[in-house]
Amino acid sequence: MTFDRLTSISLCIVVLFVIVGIILMVVKRHRNNQNPFSSSAKASSRKHHRKDSTEKSLTSQYQSCSYCKRKVNPKELSFYSGHEKVVGVCKTCKPHAERQSLLRL
């Protein structure tokens, strides 16, 4: 049985399509295993989220001043409204906010 040139080229193209299809299936299956919405990924993200929330609660005891960015106890901040936003300022930056005629909340 002899093959002419056109038949051998078409056979090579079909073989290439089969190989590319197999590679795409393997890649797709690999991506499905790493799906962030799978149940195992949700469980691990929940554990991580709980850890972050406890760390956040410890560090969220302080807020930063809108002007000097210094971390202060939220009870020591004064809040002002002006220029369509709310700013929280510490005791040292309070005169700056009053000079800008911001309204106290």
Side-chain angles (χ1 to χ4, degrees):
M1 188 164 139
T2 62
F3 290 110
D4 60 343
R5 189 176 185 123
L6 184 62
T7 307
S8 62
I9 290 175
S10 61
L11 184 63
C12 288
I13 290 173
V14 169
V15 169
L16 285 175
F17 277 126
V18 169
I19 291 173
V20 169
I22 291 172
I23 290 172
L24 289 176
M25 284 179 30
V26 169
V27 168
K28 184 178 178 182
R29 192 171 288 168
H30 180 68
R31 284 186 183 170
N32 284 343
N33 290 340
Q34 294 180 352
N35 187 359
F37 300 108
S38 68
S39 60
S40 62
K42 285 183 181 179
S44 65
S45 67
R46 286 181 189 150
K47 290 177 186 176
H48 184 65
H49 180 68
R50 288 180 188 153
K51 182 180 177 184
D52 286 344
S53 64
T54 56
E55 289 175 5
K56 187 176 181 181
S57 66
L58 295 175
T59 59
S60 68
Q61 294 175 355
Y62 295 101
Q63 291 181 342
S64 60
C65 172
S66 296
Y67 290 138
C68 66
K69 306 298 183 203
R70 187 173 53 122
K71 297 281 185 182
V72 222
N73 189 353
K75 294 178 182 178
E76 297 175 6
L77 286 176
S78 301
F79 292 95
Y80 290 88
S81 173
H83 308 295
E84 299 180 5
K85 63 180 179 178
V86 175
V87 293
V89 294
C90 62
K91 291 179 183 178
T92 57
C93 297
K94 190 174 180 179
H96 297 292
E98 291 173 352
R99 269 187 259 142
Q100 292 179 355
S101 67
L102 298 179
L103 301 173
R104 177 89 190 247
L105 294 179

